Amino acid sequence: MDPGSSLDDVAPIAILMDELRAEDVQLRLNAIHRISTIALALGADRARDELIPFLQDSVDDEDEVLLALAEELGRNFEEYIGGPEYAHVLLGPLENLSAVEETLVRDKAAESITKIANVLSAQQIEQYYIPLVQRLSHGEWFTSRTSSCALYAPVYDKVPTSIQDDLRRGFAALASDDTPMVRRAAAKWLAPLVKKFTKQHVLTDGLAMYRKLQADDQDSVRLLTVEDLIAIAQQLSPAEVKEQLLKQIRQTMTDKSWRVRYMAASHFNELAEVVGQDLVREELIGHFVQLLKDNEAEVRTAAAGQIPGFSKLLEKEVVLARVVPCVRDLCQDVSQHVRAALASQISGLAPLLGKDATIEHLLPLFLHLLKDEFPEVRLNIISKLEQVNTVIGIELLSESLLPAIVELAEDKSWRVRQAIIEYIPLLATQLGKAFFDESLGNLCMSWLGDNVYSIREAAAVNLKKLTEVFGVDWAKEQIVPKVVGMGQHPNYLYRMTTVQAIMTISPSLTLDIVRGDILEMLLQLAGDPIPNIRFNVAKALETIATSFGDTPQGRQLVQQKIVPVLEALKNDQDADVRFFASRALLKAHALEA
């Protein structure tokens, strides 16, 4: 081998080593992100023999460098070291990373080990992976024991029963660890592991681990057992759930820590779906009502989000008797977050209750929430009106709720007005053309004259969407005359809005409407004394040219009407006008070519 090639062979690893020793963290980070390229340059054999051992010794670095290393090794890195049969080689550096102090690095290392487990053969799992799990599980520092909890579930169903027994025993030891952080990790990873247990092992081992963790003195451990409870309940019959888990369900729902109750409320529907109808009726409805009345606003917010989902599992009479009174109380809740969560979910009750009950019980609550002092509450109601419309019909909806919507459309907060504008196309679809013109048509045009620019901009986009909903004939009658009429307004803001509205809606119109109704006004505004209007006219003409220039009639219109005006604007005294006119001319000439 000649000296030159030998130097080339040494170079990649030498460069990497130099960069990984550099003082600048960014240089070290860049080096880590390039390790796949370096492995490729080295070839599979040298990557295994030189690069991996070097990386294994590189764990004394900044956390962000270690995080990047843990991530890179999980990105199909086995392809660079000879394929899946050598994937186990990557476990060495990742094992070291699984024991560092920084949680993010440990979690990413465990995630990468899990990815590698998917490509390991049964023999590799037994020979390399299981010993790794055991070493981490018996590590002196809690960090390695914490990381090990994530590594049991991925391989549990890939190993013989004798090793499965060892894994269950190992995980049970972690669930009883002296360190709360380890028990927390065990509670987090018990659910994925239990799903792979046989029913017998769920009853013998899974339940024991869960009960121990569920009774932990740390609420940070207990709150993570809610998902374990659901995973175990999925494996059992309703009768077994009642016999084995009823006590734990009651304890979780009434836990002294609000964080545990919050988790229970957040996962309430998932639990209700797996415990069986009898338990829902006998036990869970009472707990649900209690969670809706909880002292903590966070718990009430989480429970409010579960209302329609849980109500689907109940008879209509039970919903009316037990859930609706709570909903009524939540409408008056002191916390705006609770009311906002309720507002986004309450309409989901309408299909369950039917027309008469919705009119009697829910409609007053909708009206109350529509008048709430916080914008988010009002918006959440409006965004979900479609469900109510399908139940009670548009006539009643418009009679009762439209006045409140019109009131919001004139709200002093411009963000509320903007959000209402965004929902107008949705309302238009539901109301139909005639009803819309009568109730909301003038309102839509009035927004074009709003004193907040964002509202005027949103109003123009709204007109475009309405054109798509109702068609160009409607737009020609209802929108175009009003927009064009504003072009004569003495206030330049109105004239500017005309130009911007034309720019927004013209691509949705036909060439005939643009030529017959719009273009003349736009060309007149090209001579406006205000430069901002003139350069927006140039932008609008560019939009029209690009939208209609792909047909012979469109090209003819561009050459006869638009190009001469742009040529004049190209020599304007204002630099911005000249710039936009030149840009538009380039587009127009490109169409011609």
Side-chain angles (χ1 to χ4, degrees):
M1 186 185 287
D2 67 70
S5 72
S6 143
L7 192 62
D8 287 346
D9 286 349
V10 171
I13 194 90
I15 293 167
L16 176 70
M17 288 173 177
D18 285 347
E19 288 191 351
L20 283 175
R21 293 192 186 106
E23 281 188 30
D24 185 356
V25 175
Q26 195 56 50
L27 269 177
R28 300 204 299 275
L29 255 181
N30 294 345
I32 290 296
H33 285 307
R34 286 205 325 277
I35 59 169
S36 54
T37 314
I38 289 162
L40 210 54
L42 285 170
D45 292 344
R46 290 190 60 202
R48 287 197 305 276
D49 299 341
E50 296 172 39
L51 179 61
I52 299 299
F54 174 70
L55 294 174
Q56 194 157 344
D57 297 333
S58 303
V59 289
D60 190 18
D61 205 333
E62 299 285 335
D63 292 334
E64 56 188 317
V65 177
L66 298 180
L67 180 63
L69 176 58
E71 192 169 0
E72 290 294 331
L73 291 176
R75 285 184 173 163
N76 302 323
F77 201 81
E78 68 278 359
E79 291 171 11
Y80 303 105
I81 58 165
E85 69 242 49
Y86 295 105
H88 62 271
V89 174
L90 299 173
L91 295 176
L94 287 168
E95 180 177 353
N96 291 350
L97 291 170
S98 299
V100 300
E101 202 170 327
E102 173 54 47
T103 310
L104 283 173
V105 177
R106 292 202 311 267
D107 289 350
K108 186 55 75 175
E111 187 186 316
S112 293
I113 292 174
T114 303
K115 287 177 183 171
I116 291 166
N118 292 330
V119 299
L120 295 176
S121 65
Q123 187 187 348
Q124 285 173 307
I125 288 173
E126 284 188 47
Q127 198 173 342
Y128 301 105
Y129 188 99
I130 299 297
L132 156 76
V133 173
Q134 288 168 344
R135 285 194 299 275
L136 288 173
S137 299
H138 296 104
E140 189 179 343
W141 289 95
F142 78 88
T143 50
S144 60
R145 301 201 299 277
T146 303
S147 299
S148 71
C149 295
L151 306 180
Y152 281 77
V155 296
Y156 182 82
D157 51 353
K158 297 178 182 176
V159 294
T161 49
S162 59
I163 296 178
Q164 286 184 351
D165 296 343
D166 291 342
L167 289 176
R168 287 196 308 280
R169 279 195 291 274
F171 200 89
L174 293 168
S176 308
D177 198 277
D178 293 339
T179 312
M181 281 77 88
V182 179
R183 299 199 301 275
R184 196 181 309 156
K188 180 182 176 183
W189 293 104
L190 176 60
L193 182 61
V194 159
K195 287 175 183 173
K196 297 189 173 183
F197 283 5
T198 61
K199 188 166 183 179
Q200 184 56 42
H201 290 138
V202 171
L203 290 166
T204 54
D205 299 309
L207 274 172
M209 292 182 225
Y210 162 69
R211 283 178 182 145
K212 183 138 189 67
L213 292 166
Q214 192 271 331
D216 200 278
D217 57 350
Q218 299 279 330
D219 66 350
S220 60
V221 176
R222 295 198 305 276
L223 69 87
L224 292 168
T225 61
V226 174
E227 290 183 39
D228 303 335
L229 168 61
I230 294 164
I232 291 173
Q234 281 172 337
Q235 309 277 77
L236 305 179
S237 68
E240 287 167 328
V241 169
K242 193 171 180 178
E243 183 188 334
Q244 302 287 350
L245 293 172
L246 186 55
K247 182 184 171 190
Q248 282 73 31
I249 291 172
R250 285 173 178 165
Q251 286 171 345
T252 300
M253 297 296 168
T254 56
D255 197 283
K256 61 180 184 289
S257 165
W258 72 266
R259 299 200 305 164
V260 179
R261 299 198 304 277
Y262 171 81
M263 284 298 281
S266 302
H267 292 83
F268 202 89
N269 291 349
E270 293 171 61
L271 179 63
E273 282 165 13
V274 297
V275 298
Q277 198 62 40
D278 290 348
L279 213 54
V280 167
R281 226 178 276 120
E282 294 165 19
E283 280 287 329
L284 291 194
I285 178 67
H287 292 305
F288 190 62
V289 169
Q290 287 311 117
L291 291 171
L292 289 173
K293 294 177 177 177
D294 199 274
N295 297 332
E296 293 293 334
E298 285 86 350
V299 179
R300 298 198 300 276
T301 303
Q306 307 282 307
I307 287 172
F310 183 61
S311 299
K312 281 178 191 164
L313 305 173
L314 305 171
E315 291 87 1
K316 181 178 162 182
E317 292 70 30
V318 179
V319 176
L320 285 169
R322 305 290 300 274
V323 178
V324 170
C326 294
V327 170
R328 208 171 285 128
D329 294 342
L330 291 175
C331 282
Q332 315 278 351
D333 199 280
V334 289
S335 164
Q336 73 196 65
H337 303 295
V338 175
R339 299 198 303 276
L342 178 70
S344 68
Q345 298 293 336
I346 187 171
S347 54
L349 285 174
L352 305 175
L353 296 181
K355 184 172 180 178
D356 295 340
T358 298
I359 294 166
E360 185 185 342
H361 299 286
L362 296 186
L363 215 49
L365 304 182
F366 291 143
L367 283 169
H368 179 79
L369 291 168
L370 266 177
K371 291 172 185 167
D372 198 277
E373 60 183 312
F374 284 95
E376 192 188 351
V377 179
R378 305 193 291 256
L379 298 180
N380 287 352
I381 278 287
I382 290 163
S383 63
K384 298 286 173 68
L385 280 181
E386 203 166 358
Q387 285 177 298
V388 185
N389 175 29
T390 52
V391 176
I392 66 171
I394 197 65
E395 297 291 321
L396 205 72
L397 183 69
S398 54
E399 273 173 41
S400 51
L401 298 182
L402 262 185
I405 289 169
V406 171
E407 201 177 310
L408 282 180
E410 292 156 359
D411 196 278
K412 63 180 183 293
S413 162
W414 69 267
R415 284 191 171 84
V416 176
R417 299 201 299 277
Q418 186 178 23
I420 288 287
I421 293 172
E422 285 164 8
Y423 287 121
I424 286 291
L426 176 70
L427 278 172
T429 314
Q430 295 166 15
L431 293 170
K433 203 182 295 184
F435 200 93
F436 178 84
D437 289 345
E438 184 189 326
S439 314
L440 297 172
N442 289 333
L443 194 61
C444 288
M445 298 312 299
S446 71
W447 283 319
L448 287 171
D450 199 279
N451 56 2
V452 176
Y453 172 74
S454 296
I455 299 295
R456 298 196 299 273
E457 185 184 33
V461 173
N462 175 48
L463 294 180
K464 180 181 191 292
K465 288 179 180 169
L466 288 173
T467 302
E468 288 160 8
V469 172
F470 291 145
V472 287
D473 294 338
W474 174 84
K476 184 180 178 181
E477 279 176 40
Q478 298 292 335
I479 294 178
V480 173
K482 292 171 184 170
V483 170
V484 170
M486 283 170 61
Q488 310 282 3
H489 203 282
N491 185 329
Y492 95 94
L493 278 176
Y494 282 82
R495 302 198 300 278
M496 172 82 92
T497 304
T498 294
V499 177
Q500 289 176 327
I502 288 171
M503 203 185 327
T504 307
I505 65 173
S506 57
S508 299
L509 300 172
T510 63
L511 180 61
D512 290 341
I513 295 174
V514 171
R515 184 169 44 205
D517 301 277
I518 285 177
L519 198 57
E520 207 53 50
M521 165 54 61
L522 203 55
L523 298 178
Q524 279 175 30
L525 288 170
D528 199 277
I530 307 289
N532 275 18
I533 290 179
R534 297 200 300 278
F535 83 63
N536 273 294
V537 167
K539 286 162 77 174
L541 291 173
E542 180 187 331
T543 302
I544 290 172
T546 50
S547 299
F548 299 103
D550 53 353
T551 63
Q553 299 100 313
R555 280 195 290 276
Q556 188 183 357
L557 181 74
V558 171
Q559 293 315 313
Q560 290 177 358
K561 297 272 191 178
I562 292 177
V563 168
V565 173
L566 289 174
E567 290 287 2
L569 289 173
K570 193 172 125 181
N571 301 315
D572 196 276
Q573 63 205 34
D574 185 271
D576 288 333
V577 179
R578 293 197 299 275
F579 170 78
F580 285 110
S582 302
R583 193 180 75 174
L585 266 173
L586 277 173
K587 292 269 178 78
H589 291 320
L591 290 167
E592 193 181 351

